[in-house]
């Protein structure tokens, strides 16, 4: 390649999308690291959280630390924010960020009531900002490939679907510090979105849920739930199952499956490689315990997609309406547990849609 002459202008690099993090907990810290060091075209400029952990994170990444979201939202050098605060604060922050003209990536759930979901969607629409919700499985290579196979008709018409989330054990959290209905609003909501993603064009109709405290039965009397199974029937006739546990002793476990009239696709695997060893001791595969790093590539891909959408003025690949649909299933599951009966999604849509 011929060296560029000094008289020739250098190619202009695209202006980076300047991002601030609001909420420096575990997932927020992970997102901040990815934005700062791995997402092309993004620049982390600030962390906002009134905790010592935020100061340490900001110092490690070489950015400013602010102690309030409002200070970050007022900064002219911030183009977009990542909202990773506790779930029940998400909607207000989305609305405030939209009013400030900042593009928004918000972790799931975007809201815990349908009224709040509508408020967030309306704020983003009115402000013409990008609003993306953190449903990372839509960006995991296996789940993306499964959806592509479904779209191509390779498995025919979807009949049976399954999605599961099992958090790494042993479970050591204090049940008293876990908000009520977390298993539906913050854990299974991933699975509800995944089932909609893998059954494109279909809408959920009925929801039946069962939940219990099997990991910590001593905490059940206080409302703690750590194990659940949910059945969803869609308007195309497909039947789906979502299940969750807070304690998988072998590590983080996330899988999906769609069985159709012409075949089946699966996604999610605990294998580290595709090696299989056949020996005198039997047949074994090369596996690894997975904890929080299981979906790291998906986290990177979703943040990259968000940055690209902001830079290119495009809609996000998973937006507010997707979050609202998943929330409506979660709220129906909660109602089903409360009543011990099957609940129609339309009944939730016609109610206030409030989670306790």
């Amino acid at each position: 390649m011929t060296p560029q002459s000094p008289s020739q202008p250098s190619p202009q690099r695209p202006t980076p999308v300047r991002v601030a993090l609001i909420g420096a907990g575990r997932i927020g810290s992970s997102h901040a690291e990815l934005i700062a060091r791995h997402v092309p075209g993004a620049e982390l400029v600030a962390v906002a959280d009134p905790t010592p952990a935020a100061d340490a994170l900001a110092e490690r990444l070489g950015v400013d630390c602010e102690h309030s979201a409002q200070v970050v939202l007022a900064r002219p050098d911030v183009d977009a924010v990542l909202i990773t605060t506790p779930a029940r604060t998400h909607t207000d922050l989305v609305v405030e960020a939209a009013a400030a003209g900042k593009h928004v990536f918000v972790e799931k759930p975007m809201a815990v009531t349908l009224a709040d979901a509508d408020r967030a969607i309306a704020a983003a629409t009115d402000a013409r900002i990008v609003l993306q919700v953190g449903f990372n499985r839509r960006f995991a290579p296996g789940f993306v490939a499964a959806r592509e196979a479904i779209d191509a008709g390779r498995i025919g018409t979807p009949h049976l679907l399954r999605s599961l989330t099992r958090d790494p054990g042993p479970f050591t959290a204090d049940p008293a510090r876990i908000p009520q209905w977390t298993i539906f609003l913050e854990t299974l909501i991933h699975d509800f979105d995944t089932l909609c993603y893998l059954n494109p064009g279909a809408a959920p109709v009925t929801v039946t849920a069962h939940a219990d405290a099997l990991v910590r039965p001593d905490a059940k009397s206080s409302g703690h739930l750590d194990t659940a199974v949910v059945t969803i029937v869609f308007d195309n006739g497909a039947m789906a199952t979502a299940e969750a546990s807070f304690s998988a002793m072998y590590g983080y476990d996330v899988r999906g499956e769609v069985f159709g009239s012409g075949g089946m696709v699966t996604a999610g695997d605990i294998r580290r490689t595709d090696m299989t060893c056949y020996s005198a001791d039997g047949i074994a595969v090369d596996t690894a315990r997975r904890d929080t790093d299981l979906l790291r590539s998906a986290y990177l891909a979703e943040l990259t997609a968000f940055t690209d959408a902001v830079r290119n003025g495009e809609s996000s690949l998973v937006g507010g309406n997707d979050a609202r649909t998943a929330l409506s299933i979660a709220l129906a599951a909660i109602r089903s547990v409360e009543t011990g009966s099957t609940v129609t999604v339309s009944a939730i849509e016609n109610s206030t849609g409030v989670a306790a």
Side-chain angles (χ1 to χ4, degrees):
M1 179 181 295
T2 304
Q4 202 171 47
S5 165
S7 62
Q8 295 175 318
S10 300
Q12 294 296 311
R13 298 182 62 183
T15 302
V17 175
R18 299 165 298 181
V19 181
L21 173 75
I22 302 176
R26 181 186 61 81
I27 192 63
S29 298
S30 174
H31 286 349
E33 178 119 8
L34 290 173
I35 286 287
R37 296 175 174 169
H38 301 287
V39 175
E43 177 187 358
L44 185 71
V45 297
V47 171
D49 193 310
T51 63
D55 290 296
L57 176 65
E59 183 177 0
R60 186 171 78 248
L61 297 179
V63 301
D64 297 338
C65 185
E66 309 287 2
H67 287 170
S68 85
Q70 289 66 38
V71 171
V72 158
L73 294 176
R75 286 178 53 153
D77 64 338
V78 172
D79 303 312
V81 294
L82 307 181
I83 298 173
T84 59
T85 53
R88 286 159 175 77
T89 67
H90 287 177
T91 301
D92 286 344
L93 287 169
V94 170
V95 172
E96 287 182 49
K102 312 302 184 186
H103 301 284
V104 174
F105 177 99
V106 59
E107 263 304 331
K108 52 75 195 169
M110 180 184 71
V112 296
T113 72
L114 294 181
D116 273 354
D118 290 337
R119 191 158 60 94
I121 294 167
T125 301
D126 291 346
R128 298 184 178 181
I129 62 159
V130 173
L131 172 61
Q132 183 168 323
V133 184
F135 287 129
N136 53 62
R137 285 174 218 183
R138 290 180 179 237
F139 299 88
F143 286 86
V144 172
R147 171 61 186 266
E148 290 173 348
I150 293 165
D151 287 343
R154 293 172 60 191
I155 67 161
T157 303
H159 288 173
L160 298 170
L161 299 91
R162 183 184 183 213
S163 180
L164 65 86
T165 300
R166 296 173 185 160
D167 290 338
F171 177 76
T172 57
D174 179 0
R177 296 175 63 87
I178 298 175
Q180 189 179 25
W181 307 119
T182 287
I183 197 164
F184 296 114
L185 292 170
E186 300 190 44
T187 303
L188 277 164
I189 200 154
H190 271 302
D191 301 276
F192 301 150
D193 179 69
T194 297
L195 293 169
C196 292
Y197 173 65
L198 295 178
N199 193 16
V205 177
T206 64
V207 176
T208 309
H210 301 275
D212 207 336
L214 302 183
V215 178
R216 284 290 303 273
D218 59 300
K220 183 178 179 179
S221 61
S222 65
H224 172 71
L225 298 170
D226 52 42
T227 309
V229 175
V230 181
T231 302
I232 305 159
V233 177
F234 287 86
D235 62 0
N236 65 349
M239 294 175 278
T241 302
E243 66 172 75
S245 170
F246 284 174
S247 187
M249 297 305 292
Y250 52 86
Y252 200 21
D253 188 359
V254 169
R255 284 177 279 146
E257 176 182 294
V258 183
F259 171 84
S261 59
M264 182 176 73
V265 291
T266 65
D269 203 327
I270 60 171
R271 291 192 178 201
R272 181 168 54 192
T273 72
D274 58 7
M275 185 273 287
T276 303
C277 179
Y278 298 79
S279 71
D281 295 325
I283 302 171
V285 297
D286 187 20
T287 63
R289 180 184 171 93
R290 301 285 190 175
D291 288 326
T292 56
D293 66 335
L294 175 64
L295 292 165
R296 184 175 176 82
S297 65
Y299 289 129
L300 176 58
E302 68 177 351
L303 293 172
T304 300
F306 172 66
T307 301
D308 289 345
V310 170
R311 181 186 296 110
N312 299 325
E314 300 170 347
S315 299
S316 68
L317 295 176
V318 50
N321 288 321
D322 299 305
R324 192 185 192 280
T325 299
L327 176 62
S328 69
I329 298 173
L331 294 173
I334 291 170
R335 181 78 58 82
S336 178
V337 170
E338 290 177 324
T339 62
S341 62
T342 296
V343 174
T344 62
V345 174
S346 61
I348 297 297
E349 294 280 353
N350 295 329
S351 71
T352 55
V354 175

